[in-house]
Amino acid sequence: MRFRFGELVVFGVFLFAAAVAVIVVVPQSQAAQQEGWTQTRWGPLGPADRDLLIKVRWAGLWEIPAGRWAQERSTNAKVKETGQHLVRDHAQLDEDVRAEALELGVSLPDEPNADQQRWLGELSSTTGAQFDQIFADRLRAAHGKVFSAIAAVRAGTKNDKIRDFATKANAVVLKHMTLLEETGLVDYAALPTPLP
C-alpha cells in the first residue's frame, strides 16, 4: 500500500480527529462521579469540598467547649477574650456549615475527631497558666492546619456555594489565629515549618 505525502497528512489528521472524538465521547459527569464528584446547582462538588465542610464542623465540635473552658478556667484576660470569640464565631460557623452540608447532601460528624478529643482531655484536667499554654498551643496549631486546607479548597473549588463558604470560614480562622497569637503564649517553635 503506497501513500503520497498529501494522503499521509490527510490520514494523520483523520486519525487525530478520531482520537479526539473518542476522548470527548466519555461524559464528564460520569467520569467525575467515578472520582467522588457530584453535580449540584452551584457546580461540581468534589471530595475536597466535602472534606472542608467536615473539617469546619470538627473545628466547632471541640473549639466551642475549649472556648467555654477558657472563660471559666483561665486567669489570663486575653485567653478569656479569645475563648469568647471562639464560642461566638464557631457557633455561627457551625450553624452555617450544617446548613451548607444539608443543601449539598454532605454528612457531618457529631463528635470531635480522636486528636481533638485528646486535646480536650488535656484541657479538661488543667486550670490557670497550664491551661492557658495548652489552649494557645493546641488551638493555634489546629487553626494553622485548617487555614491551609480552607485556602486550598477556596483556590480550586468549582462549586460556588463552597467558594462562598470557604471565604467566610477563612476569615474566621484568620481572626482566631491572630487572637491566639495576641495572647503572647503561642510556642512558634512547635509549629510546623512552611514548605517553600
Side-chain angles (χ1 to χ4, degrees):
M1 186 176 230
R2 294 180 68 180
F3 291 101
R4 285 183 267 160
F5 179 72
E7 292 173 334
L8 283 176
V9 171
V10 170
F11 184 68
V13 169
F14 172 76
L15 285 177
F16 176 75
V20 169
V22 169
I23 293 169
V24 174
V25 170
V26 177
Q28 285 188 348
S29 62
Q30 180 184 0
Q33 285 178 341
Q34 292 173 356
E35 298 172 15
W37 289 79
T38 55
Q39 191 55 246
T40 73
R41 65 181 169 148
W42 301 280
L45 182 75
D49 300 328
R50 286 184 199 85
D51 190 52
L52 169 68
L53 297 174
I54 290 166
K55 284 180 177 173
V56 170
R57 171 70 170 153
W58 267 332
L61 289 171
W62 88 279
E63 291 181 38
I64 291 172
R68 287 187 183 126
W69 291 346
Q71 294 171 69
E72 298 165 3
R73 296 168 181 237
S74 179
T75 55
N76 181 314
K78 285 281 194 186
V79 171
K80 287 178 177 280
E81 178 186 348
T82 300
Q84 289 174 336
H85 285 278
L86 287 173
V87 171
R88 183 177 55 241
D89 296 343
H90 275 289
Q92 181 60 58
L93 199 55
D94 191 63
E95 185 178 313
D96 295 343
V97 76
R98 286 183 287 121
E100 300 289 335
L102 184 63
E103 285 189 276
L104 292 167
V106 176
S107 297
L108 296 176
D110 289 325
E111 58 184 44
N113 67 34
D115 286 336
Q116 295 164 338
Q117 289 177 23
R118 190 178 72 251
W119 299 331
L120 284 170
E122 285 180 277
L123 287 169
S124 71
S125 62
T126 61
T127 58
Q130 185 182 16
F131 173 91
D132 296 343
Q133 191 62 60
I134 294 169
F135 176 85
D137 287 337
R138 297 296 177 269
L139 283 155
R140 173 54 182 81
H143 279 83
K145 287 180 184 176
V146 78
F147 187 69
S148 60
I150 293 169
V153 172
R154 172 63 182 84
T157 187
K158 293 161 183 41
N159 188 286
D160 293 338
K161 191 171 239 337
I162 292 293
R163 190 175 305 105
D164 291 344
F165 178 74
T167 300
K168 183 187 311 183
N170 205 34
V172 170
V173 172
L174 180 58
K175 173 186 173 184
H176 292 175
M177 286 173 61
T178 304
L179 287 167
L180 288 157
E181 291 163 357
E182 288 174 353
T183 65
L185 299 171
V186 174
D187 179 5
Y188 292 100
L191 296 176
T193 303
L195 299 173

